Amino acid sequence: MIKSSVIDKLYEADLCQAIGKVYTDASYKIRNNGTAEGCSPFKNERTPSFKVSNVKNIWKDFGSGKGGTSIIDFIQAYKGVDFLEAVKLACETLNIPIEYEKETDEQKEKRTQKQSLIQILKKTAEIYRQNFVSLLPESEAKKYMLSRNFTDEILDNFGIGYALAGLYEAFKEQAIVSDGEALGLLRKNNQGNYYDFFKGRIIFPICDKYGHCVGFGGRILTNDKKQPKYINSAESDLFDKSNLLYGFHLARNTIANTGEVYLVEGYTDVMRMHQIGFANTIATLGTALTPQHLAQLKKLCRKVIIFRDSDSAGQTAAERDLQLILQAGLFAELVVFPSEDKEDPDSIGQRPNAVELIKYSRNDAILHLIGEAYRAALDRYTEKHGQSKKALLLPEDKKNLTELAKKLVGCIPDDTTREAYADQLKELFKIKIAS
């Protein structure tokens, strides 16, 4: 089996350059802004419809409808070969030495089964996507997504789909019903009959870091309170929420290039941020941030910008995230919007001046949280004792502030950063902690 580190190098390769070494048509031109375009590699045409973007980490041929996120899936489509052969050809093209690792028969069988399931998920994602594209403009699913002001490009990049009836029949025809059930795409009702688990929902394909679809999220379109608004694929070896980050496969290159990542809450938050230019945005899948998530991010960047919903639940999640981020040795900022309305990154991202607002609203996470607590403590002192010439705190508040500072700064693993924060806290808030 080829080592995963070799495959990682292929996914991290400059996509425009890599494809240019495989697709050598004279029409294919690489531009200075990290994009490329040319005539379709898959059909004859005069007007170029083939686009590649390093920032978005995608290639798309609008003439044929084919697309992907790496040199590997481009070679698969262009050469008509399987994944393993595409990896070998890509390594040969990019002069990357192929390294192998031994695997047992059991490991080989497991890998083969995994690849088979990923192919089924890929085909299912294509079915859902085509369902959505084929919907009439007045259909509820189309109206909902278009009312959110998402562009066709963003809907296509994220593979937004719709689950119509007929998946069971398609799987039965291909004799893969048991696989569909194992993946949670098909379920049995009380009568023992199969039904499509996501039927009637808008579909958000969820991909691993390589861009392989490993599961789905589905949003209901009705106001049926008996049904959950969102449902996900069942947890499995493929679909592990503690390891997966929504949008990560599209954000990887920009995260690496900028050295920072925006952490938001939901699918449409990620899509909105990408649409307005923050392509280094990802989200957890309705779960808390985990050390596994941060281990992946730490390979690419040094700073996490937490942009949670403005309600109390969102702020509680932000404070919980912060401690894990600091423990991982990463720097952290908060995007803070003083708003009485319960807003999220999706709604804020639709404001006319959203980009400037978001950039202006970034604050160092530790200094912001302690600063907010410090100002509230000053108000309590003034309320009890009246205005003072000096900034004074009640003893209880001083103790609580010091403990908060110790808790946050104590999460930081390196001495230099702890010392820098200790100096700033002493200067700004007269809080003394050991560095």
Side-chain angles (χ1 to χ4, degrees):
M1 182 176 70
I2 296 175
K3 286 186 175 181
S4 60
S5 58
V6 174
I7 296 173
D8 280 343
K9 289 178 183 178
L10 295 177
Y11 280 101
E12 292 162 5
D14 182 303
L15 193 55
C16 293
Q17 295 287 349
I19 287 178
K21 291 183 179 182
V22 177
Y23 179 54
T24 57
D25 189 83
S27 68
Y28 185 76
K29 305 293 183 186
I30 299 174
R31 312 205 181 283
N32 293 329
N33 62 354
T35 64
E37 69 175 14
C39 292
S40 171
F42 306 103
K43 58 181 292 188
N44 293 324
E45 64 180 13
R46 293 183 179 178
T47 304
S49 68
F50 180 56
K51 314 284 184 184
V52 185
S53 171
N54 285 339
V55 173
K56 297 174 183 175
N57 205 42
I58 57 173
W59 63 269
K60 180 71 177 180
D61 179 48
F62 292 92
S64 65
K66 298 179 187 293
T69 60
S70 72
I71 182 61
I72 299 173
D73 52 32
F74 176 76
I75 290 176
Q76 283 184 274
Y78 186 52
K79 301 285 189 180
V81 297
D82 62 18
F83 179 82
L84 185 59
E85 187 62 26
V87 169
K88 292 177 181 178
L89 287 172
C91 286
E92 181 182 331
T93 301
L94 301 178
N95 295 317
I96 295 174
I98 299 178
E99 299 177 49
Y100 293 90
E101 56 188 2
K102 292 181 179 179
E103 62 179 350
T104 63
D105 290 342
E106 184 181 348
Q107 288 172 326
K108 184 177 180 180
E109 183 181 351
K110 189 174 182 180
R111 175 174 56 82
T112 303
Q113 174 69 3
K114 179 181 178 180
Q115 290 174 348
S116 174
L117 293 177
I118 283 176
Q119 285 303 308
I120 293 172
L121 287 163
K122 180 183 178 182
K123 293 292 185 185
T124 304
E126 290 170 354
I127 291 170
Y128 287 151
R129 177 64 185 149
Q130 189 55 46
N131 288 346
F132 183 84
V133 171
S134 302
L135 291 173
L136 296 174
E138 59 268 22
S139 67
E140 287 301 314
K142 266 281 177 68
K143 283 196 298 184
Y144 174 78
M145 293 308 293
L146 294 177
S147 71
R148 306 292 289 266
N149 297 315
F150 287 117
T151 63
D152 288 338
E153 181 183 11
I154 284 293
L155 295 175
D156 191 54
N157 288 350
F158 283 88
I160 302 306
Y162 183 67
L164 292 168
L167 194 64
Y168 168 68
E169 287 74 17
F171 280 14
K172 185 178 180 181
E173 186 177 328
Q174 298 176 54
I176 54 172
V177 169
S178 59
D179 290 327
E181 186 175 9
L183 289 166
L185 301 171
L186 301 177
R187 300 284 177 94
K188 281 184 178 180
N189 59 23
N190 293 333
Q191 288 74 43
N193 299 317
Y194 284 104
Y195 67 94
D196 302 352
F197 181 59
F198 291 101
K199 181 182 174 183
R201 291 176 179 265
I202 291 175
I203 298 297
F204 299 85
I206 298 166
C207 300
D208 63 14
K209 65 180 181 179
Y210 301 126
H212 300 140
C213 179
V214 293
F216 301 97
R219 189 196 191 283
I220 199 168
L221 288 166
T222 66
N223 292 319
D224 185 355
K225 301 298 183 183
K226 296 180 181 179
Q227 296 284 336
K229 183 184 286 187
Y230 284 96
I231 56 175
N232 285 327
S233 293
E235 289 276 323
S236 67
D237 289 342
L238 276 179
F239 191 76
D240 179 359
K241 291 182 184 179
S242 66
N243 272 311
L244 293 168
L245 291 161
Y246 185 68
F248 188 40
H249 66 297
L250 297 173
R252 281 179 69 182
N253 282 0
T254 310
I255 293 170
N257 290 336
T258 60
E260 56 187 33
V261 59
Y262 282 87
L263 173 66
V264 296
E265 203 151 323
Y267 306 131
T268 56
D269 294 332
V270 175
M271 292 169 64
R272 180 70 54 203
M273 290 287 282
H274 279 245
Q275 181 164 308
I276 64 175
F278 296 99
N280 53 333
T281 302
I282 50 89
T284 53
L285 300 174
T287 61
L289 192 66
T290 68
Q292 296 96 303
H293 292 141
L294 289 166
Q296 296 178 69
L297 295 175
K298 192 175 181 180
K299 293 177 182 178
L300 302 175
C301 67
R302 298 185 65 198
K303 182 183 291 182
V304 180
I305 304 146
I306 306 168
F307 190 6
R308 293 291 197 178
D309 294 0
S310 62
D311 59 14
S312 59
Q315 294 311 300
T316 300
E319 292 178 25
R320 181 189 62 234
D321 294 338
L322 174 59
Q323 293 184 59
L324 278 174
I325 292 166
L326 295 174
Q327 287 166 1
L330 293 162
F331 293 98
E333 292 186 6
L334 290 171
V335 177
V336 182
F337 278 88
S339 172
E340 294 181 2
D341 300 323
K342 293 180 179 179
E343 291 197 87
D344 54 30
D346 182 14
S347 61
I348 291 168
Q350 296 183 62
R351 295 187 187 183
N353 56 344
V355 173
E356 291 75 18
L357 268 175
I358 291 169
K359 289 180 178 178
Y360 179 76
S361 301
R362 287 172 51 168
N363 298 270
D364 181 275
I366 291 177
L367 298 181
H368 173 77
L369 289 178
I370 294 176
E372 288 285 289
Y374 177 75
R375 285 182 284 275
L378 286 177
D379 290 341
R380 283 191 292 273
Y381 183 91
T382 302
E383 186 180 316
K384 190 166 186 177
H385 298 290
Q387 197 69 37
S388 171
K389 292 181 180 180
K390 292 178 64 178
L392 297 174
L393 303 176
L394 297 171
E396 182 182 356
D397 282 333
K398 185 68 176 278
K399 180 183 179 183
N400 290 339
L401 268 175
T402 303
E403 288 177 351
L404 174 62
K406 285 180 178 178
K407 181 175 75 171
L408 295 178
V409 176
C411 292
I412 300 170
D414 73 282
D415 297 339
T416 304
T417 306
R418 281 201 311 273
E419 185 178 336
Y421 272 113
D423 291 343
Q424 287 191 68
L425 293 173
K426 181 180 178 182
E427 178 71 24
L428 294 171
F429 310 118
K430 308 297 185 288
I431 298 173
K432 296 180 183 178
I433 60 171
S435 57

